[in-house]
């Protein structure tokens, strides 16, 4: 005998609920077919035994994921739902929701969707065989004419499973991504100094704690491009985490033989972002993220691709110096301000110094770049030294003037 229905709450069987397209061509199952389905309710245990044999080849792939008791219990309720639907009997509320419960539970258990739906569709074969077994020769015509009702009941059950499964997968994906974001934040907040956080973050993020990493960051507005690059890397199988950190978008990639730093940079070639140096160990990632963000903050306004920290140190140092950078520019370059020096002369001296400091350091090369004689360059250096007290031909003065020029340029952009 089948288990007695729980609670009095019940819902009408799904099939007769309102007209559907084609309802006139497909009337409800005949009274006799409904009686046969009702008789099958008294032998659900037998049906489950047959179904378990039929479904065994499908279940093998996920047998360890679903306990036997769970498997049999959900099958019992599924067969009761299908038979009550075909028999046009009231469906208890706890039975009516079996499709959604099975779909959600199997998703959380990790059962593959295609295997799950294949197993559910085998219900039709078992129910149909049971109806045929109980039908007399005189019943066969009515039974065949009502075959669609059995198939429709099974398909509604399968559709309910599929929708609930997909909803659960989406929810689990959101929860998993929330957890990944939380662990990266905890890792960054710990600055990599807590071994337990590093270990747990590696597990949650799918990284190796002792791996090698490359970090990239994009300023506000550059997030979509970085997300697209992260998606491309993830599709290739690279261990990746991408998320917002404060106002910046951050990307952390574990690199190796397959996903080399060069390959990662190639994926970022159309993404304006700052890139940190390659670091060893997940505990070094927090500092690498800081450096990537610092590099992103000094990207040129017209940047169209990535810029590594090694090409941005001067800008990063000046930017991080804040007001001290402006003070440095005023102190070192203040002697070029009017009325002491005409704007045209100041511009000419700055151009000469800037060309020299960004070049090879050779006076001859600087003269060639400016299309003038090397003595002209030497005179301009002397004049610059008279006005500022800094001779760019001396290494220490050259370093200070280089920083002052960067600070001056940043101040003009700001």
């Amino acid at each position: 005998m089948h288990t007695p229905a729980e609670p009095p709450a019940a819902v009408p069987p799904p099939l007769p609920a309102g007209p559907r397209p084609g309802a006139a061509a497909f009337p409800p199952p005949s009274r006799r077919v409904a009686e046969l389905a009702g008789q099958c309710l008294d032998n659900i245990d037998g049906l489950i035994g047959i179904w378990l044999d039929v479904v065994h080849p499908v279940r093998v792939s996920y047998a360890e994921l679903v306990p036997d008791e769970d498997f049999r219990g959900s099958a019992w309720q599924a067969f009761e739902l299908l038979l009550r639907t075909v028999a046009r009997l009231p469906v208890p509320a706890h039975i009516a929701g079996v499709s959604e419960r099975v779909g959600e539970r199997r998703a959380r258990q990790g059962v593959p969707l295609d295997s799950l739906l294949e197993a559910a569709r085998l219900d039709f074969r078992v129910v149909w065989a049971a109806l045929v077994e109980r039908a007399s020769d005189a019943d066969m015509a009515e039974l065949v004419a009502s075959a669609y009702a059995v198939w429709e009941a099974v398909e509604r059950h399968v559709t309910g499973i599929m929708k609930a499964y997909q909803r659960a997968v989406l929810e689990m994906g959101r929860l998993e991504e929330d957890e990944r974001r939380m662990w990266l934040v905890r890792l960054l907040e710990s600055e990599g100094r807590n071994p337990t956080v590093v270990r747990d973050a590696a597990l949650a993020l799918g990284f190796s704690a002792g791996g090698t990493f490359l970090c990239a960051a994009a300023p506000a507005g550059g997030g979509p491009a970085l997300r697209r690059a992260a998606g491309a890397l993830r599709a290739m199988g690279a261990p990746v985490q991408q998320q917002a950190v404060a106002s910046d978008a951050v990307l952390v990639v574990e690199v190796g033989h397959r996903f080399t730093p060069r390959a990662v940079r190639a994926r970022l070639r159309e993404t304006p972002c700052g890139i940190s140096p390659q670091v060893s160990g997940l505990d070094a990632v927090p500092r690498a993220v800081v450096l990537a963000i610092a590099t992103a903050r000094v990207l040129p306004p017209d940047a169209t691709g990535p810029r590594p920290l090694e090409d941005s140190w001067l800008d990063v140092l000046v930017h991080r110096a804040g007001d001290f950078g402006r003070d440095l520019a005023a102190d070192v370059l203040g002697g070029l301000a009017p009325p002491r020096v005409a704007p045209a002369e100041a511009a000419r001296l700055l151009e000469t110094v800037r060309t020299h400091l960004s070049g090879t350091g050779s006076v001859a090369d600087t003269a060639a770049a400016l299309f003038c004689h090397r003595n002209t360059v030497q005179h301009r250096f002397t004049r610059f030294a008279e006005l500022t007290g800094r001779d760019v031909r001396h290494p220490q003065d050259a370093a200070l003037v280089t920083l002052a020029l960067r600070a001056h340029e940043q101040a003009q952009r700001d």
Side-chain angles (χ1 to χ4, degrees), residues 214-228:
L214 199 65
C215 300
L226 199 62
R227 281 195 295 274
R228 287 193 294 271

Side-chain angles (χ1 to χ4, degrees), residues 217-410:
L226 199 62
R227 281 195 295 274
R228 287 193 294 271
L233 289 166
R234 191 176 290 115
M236 295 168 59
V240 168
Q241 177 62 15
Q242 193 280 312
Q243 67 188 66
V245 175
S247 62
D248 302 283
V250 168
L251 171 69
V252 181
V253 185
E254 184 172 355
V255 297
H257 295 299
R258 185 178 174 192
F259 303 103
T260 63
R262 177 179 294 182
V264 173
R265 289 190 181 98
R267 285 290 170 181
L268 294 169
R269 63 182 177 274
E270 296 180 358
T271 304
C273 61
I275 300 181
S276 74
Q278 171 180 318
V279 296
S280 296
L282 191 60
D283 57 347
V285 163
R287 191 59 193 170
V289 167
V290 170
L291 296 176
I293 290 175
T295 307
R297 297 280 176 86
V298 296
L299 284 172
D302 57 351
T304 58
R307 189 177 183 190
L309 174 64
E310 54 261 36
D311 295 341
S312 308
W313 268 118
L314 287 175
D315 291 321
V316 168
L317 289 173
V318 168
H319 183 266
R320 301 286 278 196
D323 290 341
F324 287 106
R326 286 185 284 274
D327 294 337
L328 173 66
D331 179 59
V332 173
L333 304 177
L336 301 176
R340 186 177 182 185
V341 180
E345 182 186 8
R348 184 166 57 251
L349 294 175
L350 286 173
E351 179 189 21
T352 303
V353 168
R354 189 179 291 111
T355 301
H356 183 73
L357 295 176
S358 62
T360 65
S362 163
V363 173
D365 289 344
T366 302
L370 295 172
F371 303 101
C372 64
H373 195 276
R374 57 178 296 152
N375 288 341
T376 303
V377 173
Q378 294 284 17
H379 291 319
R380 291 177 184 174
F381 287 165
T382 300
R383 175 63 171 160
F384 181 87
E386 291 173 355
L387 294 169
T388 65
R390 307 291 176 180
D391 191 336
V392 294
R393 290 164 292 194
H394 297 162
Q396 186 170 339
D397 284 352
L400 199 60
V401 172
T402 299
L403 285 172
L405 286 172
R406 293 298 177 97
H408 176 67
E409 291 164 3
Q410 281 197 13

Side-chain angles (χ1 to χ4, degrees), residues 160-250:
I161 290 174
M162 181 177 66
K163 290 182 177 179
Y165 186 104
Q166 292 170 334
R167 283 197 302 269
V169 167
L170 288 173
E171 180 183 350
M172 288 189 297
R174 286 193 293 268
L175 291 174
E176 181 182 358
E177 188 56 34
D178 287 345
E179 184 177 5
R180 289 170 63 89
R181 283 194 291 266
M182 178 198 74
W183 275 109
L184 182 60
V185 169
R186 289 193 64 183
L187 176 67
L188 298 182
E189 289 177 345
S190 75
E191 298 181 347
R193 297 175 182 174
N194 187 326
T196 301
V197 171
V198 172
R199 182 199 64 207
D200 293 345
L203 290 173
L205 296 169
F207 290 147
S208 169
T212 301
F213 298 89
L214 199 65
C215 300
L226 199 62
R227 281 195 295 274
R228 287 193 294 271
L233 289 166
R234 191 176 290 115
M236 295 168 59
V240 168
Q241 177 62 15
Q242 193 280 312
Q243 67 188 66
V245 175
S247 62
D248 302 283
V250 168

